[in-house]
Amino acid sequence: MPGKLDGQVAVITGAAQGQGAAEAALFAAEGARVAVADVQEDAGRAIAAEIGDAARFYPLDVSDPDAWARTIDDVVRQWGRLDVLVNNAGIGRPTPVLTATVEEYLAVFRVNELGVFLGTQAAARQMIRARSGSIINVSSTDGFVGQAPLSAYTASKFAVRGLTRTAAIELGPLGIRVNSIHPGWIETPMVAATPDMIERASRSLSRNPIPRMGKPSEAAQAALFLASDDSSFCTGAELCVDGGMLAGGWVPMLRKPTLEAAEKLAAS
Ligand SMILES: NC(=O)c1ccc[n+]([C@@H]2O[C@H](COP(=O)([O-])OP(=O)(O)OC[C@H]3O[C@@H](n4cnc5c(N)ncnc54)[C@H](O)[C@@H]3O)[C@@H](O)[C@H]2O)c1
């Protein structure tokens, strides 16, 4: 069966682990050649080696415009084209409103927001040559709701939505689609690395329509949909991969009678 990305070339940032690594593996399995881009060199090289000939590691700090120019040039020199960019790299750090410093705040913004802008710009400058391309920006459910004590993270993920829509408007007539993904809790090192995060996640998860954590492979499938022609009429769109978290299932008062009625019907 033909792959959904046969012959295409994709750059995925933050691909040394977590969702980015799952996206790199899936895109390669679907026929793409994949640039695994990350600040973590050893882990990134290991992921590229695991995937095989279809993948190469590119050291990239997404907040550095020169590094972006070098990476896109190198990718095009290596593989001759660029079809897909997944702006997946992100960091989450506590930035309590009362105590966060300017540096702490901007550190998150440089990666999560400026990094997405720079990637979009660098990729689009190449993609306009073919008048074709798909850019996927990884925001979060925190792009829709507040999350304490993550003021900078949440604000940056809201900002990614505005950037995605604006880029979609500017780049659509040039053949480039730009969409965003909004993962809920996904089992990755980002979640595991933060103290008490798993516990907080489990508490909120139990009220979700799908009451479990998501897997990196489930986020990767959403990225694949937006990367491939399956989404050829989607741009400026926001795709939640959150087990229904943003549907509002955390209101337990309303859920209980519905579940009880369902149990009765199922038993009848
Ligand atoms: N895991 C979740 O529950 C969750 C939920 C919502 C959104 N997200 C978002 O999904 C994306 C992927 O997160 P993940 O869960 O796989 O996290 P992760 O921490 O496992 O992976 C993030 C990757 O980004 C890389 N990175 C960090 N700073 C970078 C920089 N300056 N330049 C290049 N690479 C850099 C890291 O080295 C790492 O490999 C992030 O944007 C994150 O905010 C995650």
Side-chain angles (χ1 to χ4, degrees):
M1 217 168 70
K4 286 182 186 288
L5 299 177
D6 272 345
Q8 299 204 17
V9 172
V11 172
I12 303 176
T13 69
Q17 65 184 37
Q19 294 172 64
E23 284 153 6
L26 179 62
F27 283 22
E30 290 290 342
R33 282 153 295 169
V34 181
V36 170
D38 207 292
V39 281
Q40 291 192 71
E41 300 216 0
D42 290 349
R45 280 185 212 290
I47 290 294
E50 229 172 75
I51 293 170
D53 288 345
R56 279 172 71 101
F57 173 70
Y58 291 82
L60 171 70
D61 176 347
V62 293
S63 65
D64 177 350
D66 295 336
W68 265 114
R70 262 196 318 274
T71 300
I72 299 297
D73 278 358
D74 287 354
V75 167
V76 173
R77 200 172 308 118
Q78 173 71 24
W79 283 317
R81 56 193 284 166
L82 175 64
D83 303 283
V84 178
L85 167 66
V86 186
N87 279 312
N88 164 78
I91 57 172
R93 292 186 189 152
T95 46
V97 170
L98 289 176
T99 55
T101 64
V102 169
E103 257 325 298
E104 285 166 343
Y105 196 86
L106 287 180
V108 175
F109 252 79
R110 274 190 206 104
V111 178
N112 293 8
E113 203 283 327
L114 180 65
V116 173
F117 172 76
L118 293 174
T120 301
Q121 184 176 68
R125 284 176 176 170
Q126 174 60 37
M127 288 170 172
I128 52 171
R129 295 166 202 257
R131 299 235 158 203
S132 165
S134 173
I135 298 175
I136 297 137
N137 296 332
V138 181
S139 171
S140 171
T141 46
D142 294 347
F144 294 91
V145 294
Q147 178 83 261
L150 300 178
S151 64
Y153 183 81
T154 306
S156 70
K157 296 299 187 180
F158 268 73
V160 166
R161 293 175 57 207
L163 175 57
T164 300
R165 290 179 180 207
T166 304
I169 295 165
E170 288 189 28
L171 301 176
L174 302 168
I176 302 167
R177 298 184 297 109
V178 191
N179 295 287
S180 58
I181 291 180
H182 301 268
W185 293 106
I186 309 285
E187 259 184 80
T188 67
M190 174 182 272
V191 173
T194 313
D196 88 357
M197 195 73 113
I198 297 276
E199 198 214 311
R200 280 171 46 204
S202 310
R203 254 185 283 138
S204 66
L205 283 169
S206 63
R207 291 175 182 170
N208 276 358
I210 303 173
R212 63 168 174 81
M213 284 202 134
K215 300 183 203 110
S217 59
E218 293 174 307
Q221 288 292 349
L224 175 62
F225 169 69
L226 292 174
S228 75
D229 282 346
D230 285 352
S231 59
S232 53
F233 198 46
C234 298
T235 197
E238 299 172 335
L239 178 52
C240 290
V241 190
D242 67 345
M245 184 194 292
L246 291 183
W250 59 79
V251 185
M253 296 294 284
L254 301 179
R255 260 169 67 88
K256 205 162 168 257
T258 314
L259 289 176
E260 282 168 2
E263 295 291 348
K264 269 192 202 149
L265 269 178
S268 65

mmCIF file of all heavy atoms in Angstrom, residues 13-20 37-40 60-63 87-92 111-112 138-141 153 157 182-191 213, ligand 1:
data_model
loop_
_atom_site.group_PDB
_atom_site.id
_atom_site.type_symbol
_atom_site.label_atom_id
_atom_site.label_comp_id
_atom_site.label_asym_id
_atom_site.label_seq_id
_atom_site.Cartn_x
_atom_site.Cartn_y
_atom_site.Cartn_z
ATOM 1 N N THR A 13 10.627 19.265 14.629
ATOM 2 C CA THR A 13 11.453 19.798 15.719
ATOM 3 C C THR A 13 11.090 19.106 17.036
ATOM 4 O O THR A 13 9.981 18.583 17.197
ATOM 5 C CB THR A 13 11.268 21.317 15.879
ATOM 6 O OG1 THR A 13 9.946 21.586 16.378
ATOM 7 C CG2 THR A 13 11.483 22.055 14.568
ATOM 8 N N GLY A 14 12.046 19.092 17.942
ATOM 9 C CA GLY A 14 11.817 18.422 19.223
ATOM 10 C C GLY A 14 11.586 16.933 19.015
ATOM 11 O O GLY A 14 10.805 16.309 19.731
ATOM 12 N N ALA A 15 12.297 16.356 18.045
ATOM 13 C CA ALA A 15 12.025 14.966 17.655
ATOM 14 C C ALA A 15 12.947 13.961 18.333
ATOM 15 O O ALA A 15 12.934 12.785 17.986
ATOM 16 C CB ALA A 15 12.102 14.832 16.133
ATOM 17 N N ALA A 16 13.734 14.412 19.301
ATOM 18 C CA ALA A 16 14.643 13.484 19.983
ATOM 19 C C ALA A 16 13.917 12.581 20.981
ATOM 20 O O ALA A 16 14.483 11.608 21.480
ATOM 21 C CB ALA A 16 15.748 14.268 20.694
ATOM 22 N N GLN A 17 12.681 12.920 21.302
ATOM 23 C CA GLN A 17 11.922 12.112 22.273
ATOM 24 C C GLN A 17 10.439 12.465 22.150
ATOM 25 O O GLN A 17 10.044 13.343 21.376
ATOM 26 C CB GLN A 17 12.407 12.383 23.707
ATOM 27 C CG GLN A 17 12.145 13.812 24.172
ATOM 28 C CD GLN A 17 12.715 14.104 25.558
ATOM 29 O OE1 GLN A 17 13.783 13.622 25.915
ATOM 30 N NE2 GLN A 17 11.996 14.887 26.344
ATOM 31 N N GLY A 18 9.623 11.773 22.938
ATOM 32 C CA GLY A 18 8.209 12.144 23.072
ATOM 33 C C GLY A 18 7.439 12.132 21.757
ATOM 34 O O GLY A 18 7.641 11.272 20.894
ATOM 35 N N GLN A 19 6.542 13.103 21.634
ATOM 36 C CA GLN A 19 5.668 13.146 20.456
ATOM 37 C C GLN A 19 6.449 13.328 19.158
ATOM 38 O O GLN A 19 6.109 12.751 18.126
ATOM 39 C CB GLN A 19 4.668 14.293 20.604
ATOM 40 C CG GLN A 19 3.687 14.083 21.738
ATOM 41 C CD GLN A 19 2.841 15.317 21.985
ATOM 42 O OE1 GLN A 19 2.073 15.715 21.127
ATOM 43 N NE2 GLN A 19 2.969 15.914 23.143
ATOM 44 N N GLY A 20 7.488 14.168 19.199
ATOM 45 C CA GLY A 20 8.272 14.414 17.980
ATOM 46 C C GLY A 20 8.916 13.136 17.468
ATOM 47 O O GLY A 20 8.924 12.878 16.254
ATOM 48 N N ALA A 37 15.025 17.061 14.231
ATOM 49 C CA ALA A 37 15.724 18.282 14.666
ATOM 50 C C ALA A 37 15.508 18.503 16.162
ATOM 51 O O ALA A 37 14.378 18.422 16.640
ATOM 52 C CB ALA A 37 15.195 19.483 13.877
ATOM 53 N N ASP A 38 16.615 18.779 16.866
ATOM 54 C CA ASP A 38 16.476 18.923 18.325
ATOM 55 C C ASP A 38 17.763 19.531 18.893
ATOM 56 O O ASP A 38 18.808 19.512 18.235
ATOM 57 C CB ASP A 38 16.219 17.541 18.967
ATOM 58 C CG ASP A 38 15.446 17.637 20.276
ATOM 59 O OD1 ASP A 38 15.998 18.155 21.267
ATOM 60 O OD2 ASP A 38 14.277 17.192 20.315
ATOM 61 N N VAL A 39 17.667 20.054 20.102
ATOM 62 C CA VAL A 39 18.873 20.503 20.811
ATOM 63 C C VAL A 39 19.596 19.329 21.471
ATOM 64 O O VAL A 39 20.771 19.432 21.788
ATOM 65 C CB VAL A 39 18.571 21.561 21.903
ATOM 66 C CG1 VAL A 39 18.362 22.930 21.311
ATOM 67 C CG2 VAL A 39 17.386 21.158 22.768
ATOM 68 N N GLN A 40 18.895 18.231 21.679
ATOM 69 C CA GLN A 40 19.510 17.060 22.318
ATOM 70 C C GLN A 40 20.180 16.212 21.242
ATOM 71 O O GLN A 40 19.499 15.450 20.530
ATOM 72 C CB GLN A 40 18.448 16.200 22.980
ATOM 73 C CG GLN A 40 17.778 16.798 24.195
ATOM 74 C CD GLN A 40 16.978 15.726 24.901
ATOM 75 O OE1 GLN A 40 17.541 14.819 25.518
ATOM 76 N NE2 GLN A 40 15.669 15.818 24.804
ATOM 77 N N LEU A 60 19.397 21.581 16.150
ATOM 78 C CA LEU A 60 18.651 22.831 15.921
ATOM 79 C C LEU A 60 18.089 23.358 17.229
ATOM 80 O O LEU A 60 17.373 22.650 17.938
ATOM 81 C CB LEU A 60 17.482 22.575 14.954
ATOM 82 C CG LEU A 60 16.491 23.738 14.786
ATOM 83 C CD1 LEU A 60 17.109 24.908 14.022
ATOM 84 C CD2 LEU A 60 15.213 23.274 14.075
ATOM 85 N N ASP A 61 18.415 24.610 17.531
ATOM 86 C CA ASP A 61 17.713 25.334 18.597
ATOM 87 C C ASP A 61 16.668 26.189 17.889
ATOM 88 O O ASP A 61 17.023 27.121 17.147
ATOM 89 C CB ASP A 61 18.711 26.203 19.382
ATOM 90 C CG ASP A 61 18.014 27.047 20.447
ATOM 91 O OD1 ASP A 61 16.765 27.153 20.426
ATOM 92 O OD2 ASP A 61 18.725 27.608 21.295
ATOM 93 N N VAL A 62 15.409 25.895 18.123
ATOM 94 C CA VAL A 62 14.346 26.551 17.334
ATOM 95 C C VAL A 62 14.267 28.059 17.574
ATOM 96 O O VAL A 62 13.629 28.776 16.805
ATOM 97 C CB VAL A 62 12.951 25.928 17.606
ATOM 98 C CG1 VAL A 62 12.891 24.502 17.102
ATOM 99 C CG2 VAL A 62 12.563 26.019 19.078
ATOM 100 N N SER A 63 14.918 28.547 18.635
ATOM 101 C CA SER A 63 14.853 29.987 18.903
ATOM 102 C C SER A 63 15.969 30.763 18.194
ATOM 103 O O SER A 63 16.087 31.971 18.370
ATOM 104 C CB SER A 63 14.903 30.246 20.410
ATOM 105 O OG SER A 63 16.152 29.835 20.923
ATOM 106 N N ASN A 87 6.256 21.986 13.850
ATOM 107 C CA ASN A 87 6.834 22.810 14.919
ATOM 108 C C ASN A 87 6.394 22.211 16.248
ATOM 109 O O ASN A 87 5.430 22.651 16.866
ATOM 110 C CB ASN A 87 6.321 24.250 14.795
ATOM 111 C CG ASN A 87 7.074 25.038 13.749
ATOM 112 O OD1 ASN A 87 8.303 25.037 13.712
ATOM 113 N ND2 ASN A 87 6.335 25.721 12.886
ATOM 114 N N ASN A 88 7.130 21.169 16.667
ATOM 115 C CA ASN A 88 6.707 20.395 17.837
ATOM 116 C C ASN A 88 7.496 20.734 19.105
ATOM 117 O O ASN A 88 6.985 20.565 20.215
ATOM 118 C CB ASN A 88 6.861 18.902 17.502
ATOM 119 C CG ASN A 88 6.823 18.025 18.720
ATOM 120 O OD1 ASN A 88 5.759 17.746 19.276
ATOM 121 N ND2 ASN A 88 7.993 17.574 19.190
ATOM 122 N N ALA A 89 8.721 21.256 18.956
ATOM 123 C CA ALA A 89 9.568 21.506 20.132
ATOM 124 C C ALA A 89 8.851 22.419 21.116
ATOM 125 O O ALA A 89 8.211 23.393 20.720
ATOM 126 C CB ALA A 89 10.894 22.138 19.707
ATOM 127 N N GLY A 90 8.954 22.094 22.379
ATOM 128 C CA GLY A 90 8.315 22.943 23.385
ATOM 129 C C GLY A 90 8.897 22.661 24.752
ATOM 130 O O GLY A 90 9.426 21.573 25.008
ATOM 131 N N ILE A 91 8.820 23.658 25.621
ATOM 132 C CA ILE A 91 9.231 23.456 27.010
ATOM 133 C C ILE A 91 8.136 23.981 27.942
ATOM 134 O O ILE A 91 7.434 24.936 27.598
ATOM 135 C CB ILE A 91 10.578 24.148 27.349
ATOM 136 C CG1 ILE A 91 10.524 25.657 27.053
ATOM 137 C CG2 ILE A 91 11.728 23.512 26.600
ATOM 138 C CD1 ILE A 91 11.754 26.421 27.538
ATOM 139 N N GLY A 92 8.000 23.330 29.077
ATOM 140 C CA GLY A 92 7.039 23.787 30.076
ATOM 141 C C GLY A 92 7.774 24.028 31.382
ATOM 142 O O GLY A 92 8.426 23.110 31.891
ATOM 143 N N VAL A 111 11.173 29.510 22.932
ATOM 144 C CA VAL A 111 11.042 28.179 22.327
ATOM 145 C C VAL A 111 9.626 27.978 21.781
ATOM 146 O O VAL A 111 9.430 27.649 20.604
ATOM 147 C CB VAL A 111 11.375 27.072 23.359
ATOM 148 C CG1 VAL A 111 11.188 25.695 22.729
ATOM 149 C CG2 VAL A 111 12.780 27.245 23.888
ATOM 150 N N ASN A 112 8.634 28.187 22.616
ATOM 151 C CA ASN A 112 7.263 27.784 22.272
ATOM 152 C C ASN A 112 6.579 28.705 21.272
ATOM 153 O O ASN A 112 5.690 28.267 20.540
ATOM 154 C CB ASN A 112 6.392 27.735 23.532
ATOM 155 C CG ASN A 112 6.804 26.641 24.485
ATOM 156 O OD1 ASN A 112 7.828 25.988 24.297
ATOM 157 N ND2 ASN A 112 6.036 26.441 25.535
ATOM 158 N N VAL A 138 2.423 22.639 17.044
ATOM 159 C CA VAL A 138 1.924 21.917 18.213
ATOM 160 C C VAL A 138 1.690 22.923 19.345
ATOM 161 O O VAL A 138 2.632 23.472 19.915
ATOM 162 C CB VAL A 138 2.897 20.807 18.645
ATOM 163 C CG1 VAL A 138 2.324 20.071 19.860
ATOM 164 C CG2 VAL A 138 3.118 19.832 17.488
ATOM 165 N N SER A 139 0.424 23.186 19.612
ATOM 166 C CA SER A 139 0.032 24.024 20.742
ATOM 167 C C SER A 139 -0.282 23.082 21.899
ATOM 168 O O SER A 139 0.525 22.208 22.242
ATOM 169 C CB SER A 139 -1.164 24.897 20.345
ATOM 170 O OG SER A 139 -1.719 25.580 21.436
ATOM 171 N N SER A 140 -1.462 23.171 22.470
ATOM 172 C CA SER A 140 -1.811 22.376 23.652
ATOM 173 C C SER A 140 -3.288 22.640 23.976
ATOM 174 O O SER A 140 -3.862 23.624 23.489
ATOM 175 C CB SER A 140 -0.945 22.834 24.832
ATOM 176 O OG SER A 140 -1.374 22.256 26.046
ATOM 177 N N THR A 141 -3.852 21.809 24.829
ATOM 178 C CA THR A 141 -5.142 22.212 25.404
ATOM 179 C C THR A 141 -4.952 23.490 26.222
ATOM 180 O O THR A 141 -5.893 24.263 26.406
ATOM 181 C CB THR A 141 -5.718 21.102 26.309
ATOM 182 O OG1 THR A 141 -4.662 20.623 27.159
ATOM 183 C CG2 THR A 141 -6.272 19.945 25.508
ATOM 184 N N TYR A 153 3.870 29.328 29.606
ATOM 185 C CA TYR A 153 3.535 28.184 28.748
ATOM 186 C C TYR A 153 2.149 28.381 28.139
ATOM 187 O O TYR A 153 1.955 28.265 26.923
ATOM 188 C CB TYR A 153 3.574 26.895 29.578
ATOM 189 C CG TYR A 153 3.308 25.633 28.782
ATOM 190 C CD1 TYR A 153 4.314 25.036 28.044
ATOM 191 C CD2 TYR A 153 2.039 25.039 28.767
ATOM 192 C CE1 TYR A 153 4.083 23.881 27.303
ATOM 193 C CE2 TYR A 153 1.798 23.884 28.035
ATOM 194 C CZ TYR A 153 2.822 23.309 27.311
ATOM 195 O OH TYR A 153 2.577 22.168 26.574
ATOM 196 N N LYS A 157 1.129 29.045 24.236
ATOM 197 C CA LYS A 157 0.298 28.102 23.476
ATOM 198 C C LYS A 157 -0.955 28.786 22.914
ATOM 199 O O LYS A 157 -1.436 28.419 21.852
ATOM 200 C CB LYS A 157 -0.068 26.897 24.352
ATOM 201 C CG LYS A 157 1.133 26.054 24.772
ATOM 202 C CD LYS A 157 1.871 25.465 23.578
ATOM 203 C CE LYS A 157 2.961 24.495 23.975
ATOM 204 N NZ LYS A 157 3.673 23.935 22.804
ATOM 205 N N HIS A 182 -3.618 20.260 19.302
ATOM 206 C CA HIS A 182 -3.758 20.614 20.717
ATOM 207 C C HIS A 182 -3.825 19.347 21.563
ATOM 208 O O HIS A 182 -4.913 18.858 21.878
ATOM 209 C CB HIS A 182 -5.007 21.486 20.902
ATOM 210 C CG HIS A 182 -4.913 22.724 20.073
ATOM 211 N ND1 HIS A 182 -4.395 23.897 20.550
ATOM 212 C CD2 HIS A 182 -5.189 22.937 18.765
ATOM 213 C CE1 HIS A 182 -4.376 24.793 19.578
ATOM 214 N NE2 HIS A 182 -4.850 24.233 18.486
ATOM 215 N N PRO A 183 -2.649 18.824 21.925
ATOM 216 C CA PRO A 183 -2.672 17.620 22.745
ATOM 217 C C PRO A 183 -3.147 17.937 24.155
ATOM 218 O O PRO A 183 -2.923 19.031 24.686
ATOM 219 C CB PRO A 183 -1.192 17.190 22.772
ATOM 220 C CG PRO A 183 -0.489 17.997 21.727
ATOM 221 C CD PRO A 183 -1.281 19.251 21.588
ATOM 222 N N GLY A 184 -3.832 16.951 24.741
ATOM 223 C CA GLY A 184 -4.083 16.984 26.185
ATOM 224 C C GLY A 184 -2.913 16.290 26.853
ATOM 225 O O GLY A 184 -1.776 16.392 26.392
ATOM 226 N N TRP A 185 -3.187 15.567 27.935
ATOM 227 C CA TRP A 185 -2.079 14.874 28.616
ATOM 228 C C TRP A 185 -1.580 13.726 27.749
ATOM 229 O O TRP A 185 -2.324 12.791 27.454
ATOM 230 C CB TRP A 185 -2.548 14.303 29.944
ATOM 231 C CG TRP A 185 -2.904 15.322 30.972
ATOM 232 C CD1 TRP A 185 -4.152 15.656 31.377
ATOM 233 C CD2 TRP A 185 -2.003 16.124 31.750
ATOM 234 N NE1 TRP A 185 -4.093 16.632 32.357
ATOM 235 C CE2 TRP A 185 -2.783 16.932 32.606
ATOM 236 C CE3 TRP A 185 -0.599 16.231 31.804
ATOM 237 C CZ2 TRP A 185 -2.222 17.832 33.497
ATOM 238 C CZ3 TRP A 185 -0.037 17.135 32.696
ATOM 239 C CH2 TRP A 185 -0.848 17.920 33.526
ATOM 240 N N ILE A 186 -0.324 13.792 27.365
ATOM 241 C CA ILE A 186 0.281 12.725 26.566
ATOM 242 C C ILE A 186 1.476 12.189 27.359
ATOM 243 O O ILE A 186 2.263 12.966 27.905
ATOM 244 C CB ILE A 186 0.782 13.254 25.190
ATOM 245 C CG1 ILE A 186 -0.317 14.046 24.451
ATOM 246 C CG2 ILE A 186 1.324 12.109 24.342
ATOM 247 C CD1 ILE A 186 -1.423 13.253 23.819
ATOM 248 N N GLU A 187 1.589 10.867 27.366
ATOM 249 C CA GLU A 187 2.669 10.222 28.142
ATOM 250 C C GLU A 187 4.017 10.430 27.483
ATOM 251 O O GLU A 187 4.400 9.664 26.592
ATOM 252 C CB GLU A 187 2.399 8.722 28.154
ATOM 253 C CG GLU A 187 1.790 8.219 29.419
ATOM 254 C CD GLU A 187 1.666 6.713 29.365
ATOM 255 O OE1 GLU A 187 2.681 6.025 29.606
ATOM 256 O OE2 GLU A 187 0.561 6.256 29.060
ATOM 257 N N THR A 188 4.717 11.466 27.866
ATOM 258 C CA THR A 188 6.043 11.734 27.290
ATOM 259 C C THR A 188 6.987 12.144 28.422
ATOM 260 O O THR A 188 6.545 12.447 29.529
ATOM 261 C CB THR A 188 5.993 12.901 26.277
ATOM 262 O OG1 THR A 188 5.700 14.109 26.999
ATOM 263 C CG2 THR A 188 4.958 12.690 25.194
ATOM 264 N N PRO A 189 8.277 12.236 28.122
ATOM 265 C CA PRO A 189 9.220 12.687 29.158
ATOM 266 C C PRO A 189 8.852 14.058 29.722
ATOM 267 O O PRO A 189 9.128 14.345 30.882
ATOM 268 C CB PRO A 189 10.559 12.734 28.412
ATOM 269 C CG PRO A 189 10.419 11.713 27.332
ATOM 270 C CD PRO A 189 8.975 11.778 26.908
ATOM 271 N N MET A 190 8.203 14.929 28.926
ATOM 272 C CA MET A 190 7.828 16.254 29.449
ATOM 273 C C MET A 190 6.937 16.123 30.680
ATOM 274 O O MET A 190 7.117 16.810 31.681
ATOM 275 C CB MET A 190 7.086 17.066 28.382
ATOM 276 C CG MET A 190 6.558 18.392 28.918
ATOM 277 S SD MET A 190 5.629 19.333 27.710
ATOM 278 C CE MET A 190 6.915 20.261 26.917
ATOM 279 N N VAL A 191 5.995 15.225 30.617
ATOM 280 C CA VAL A 191 5.064 15.038 31.731
ATOM 281 C C VAL A 191 5.759 14.302 32.873
ATOM 282 O O VAL A 191 5.659 14.691 34.041
ATOM 283 C CB VAL A 191 3.817 14.269 31.252
ATOM 284 C CG1 VAL A 191 2.921 13.920 32.419
ATOM 285 C CG2 VAL A 191 3.054 15.103 30.234
ATOM 286 N N MET A 213 -4.424 8.810 29.802
ATOM 287 C CA MET A 213 -3.450 9.639 29.091
ATOM 288 C C MET A 213 -3.398 9.229 27.622
ATOM 289 O O MET A 213 -3.675 8.075 27.287
ATOM 290 C CB MET A 213 -2.064 9.431 29.686
ATOM 291 C CG MET A 213 -1.867 10.134 30.989
ATOM 292 S SD MET A 213 -0.108 10.353 31.232
ATOM 293 C CE MET A 213 -0.033 12.004 31.746
HETATM 294 N N1 LIG B 1 3.074 15.811 26.852
HETATM 295 C C1 LIG B 1 1.977 16.503 27.002
HETATM 296 O O1 LIG B 1 1.127 16.163 27.836
HETATM 297 C C2 LIG B 1 1.720 17.725 26.147
HETATM 298 C C3 LIG B 1 0.465 18.304 26.223
HETATM 299 C C4 LIG B 1 0.166 19.394 25.425
HETATM 300 C C5 LIG B 1 1.130 19.898 24.565
HETATM 301 N N2 LIG B 1 2.358 19.329 24.514
HETATM 302 C C6 LIG B 1 3.314 19.906 23.560
HETATM 303 O O2 LIG B 1 3.738 18.901 22.670
HETATM 304 C C7 LIG B 1 5.057 19.191 22.197
HETATM 305 C C8 LIG B 1 5.941 17.981 22.378
HETATM 306 O O3 LIG B 1 6.039 17.733 23.766
HETATM 307 P P1 LIG B 1 6.435 16.329 24.407
HETATM 308 O O4 LIG B 1 5.380 16.011 25.353
HETATM 309 O O5 LIG B 1 6.842 15.345 23.365
HETATM 310 O O6 LIG B 1 7.689 16.854 25.259
HETATM 311 P P2 LIG B 1 9.160 16.332 25.454
HETATM 312 O O7 LIG B 1 9.757 17.185 26.516
HETATM 313 O O8 LIG B 1 9.180 14.872 25.625
HETATM 314 O O9 LIG B 1 9.864 16.689 24.038
HETATM 315 C C9 LIG B 1 10.137 17.994 23.664
HETATM 316 C C10 LIG B 1 11.377 18.008 22.790
HETATM 317 O O10 LIG B 1 11.647 19.366 22.436
HETATM 318 C C11 LIG B 1 13.048 19.549 22.470
HETATM 319 N N3 LIG B 1 13.391 20.956 22.638
HETATM 320 C C12 LIG B 1 13.259 21.732 23.744
HETATM 321 N N4 LIG B 1 13.731 22.964 23.510
HETATM 322 C C13 LIG B 1 14.155 22.967 22.209
HETATM 323 C C14 LIG B 1 14.737 23.962 21.380
HETATM 324 N N5 LIG B 1 15.028 25.199 21.843
HETATM 325 N N6 LIG B 1 15.023 23.632 20.098
HETATM 326 C C15 LIG B 1 14.780 22.376 19.636
HETATM 327 N N7 LIG B 1 14.256 21.409 20.377
HETATM 328 C C16 LIG B 1 13.953 21.698 21.657
HETATM 329 C C17 LIG B 1 13.501 18.712 23.664
HETATM 330 O O11 LIG B 1 14.894 18.450 23.614
HETATM 331 C C18 LIG B 1 12.633 17.478 23.499
HETATM 332 O O12 LIG B 1 13.263 16.506 22.705
HETATM 333 C C19 LIG B 1 5.504 20.425 22.979
HETATM 334 O O13 LIG B 1 5.308 21.577 22.192
HETATM 335 C C20 LIG B 1 4.587 20.440 24.180
HETATM 336 O O14 LIG B 1 4.417 21.733 24.717
HETATM 337 C C21 LIG B 1 2.682 18.272 25.303
#
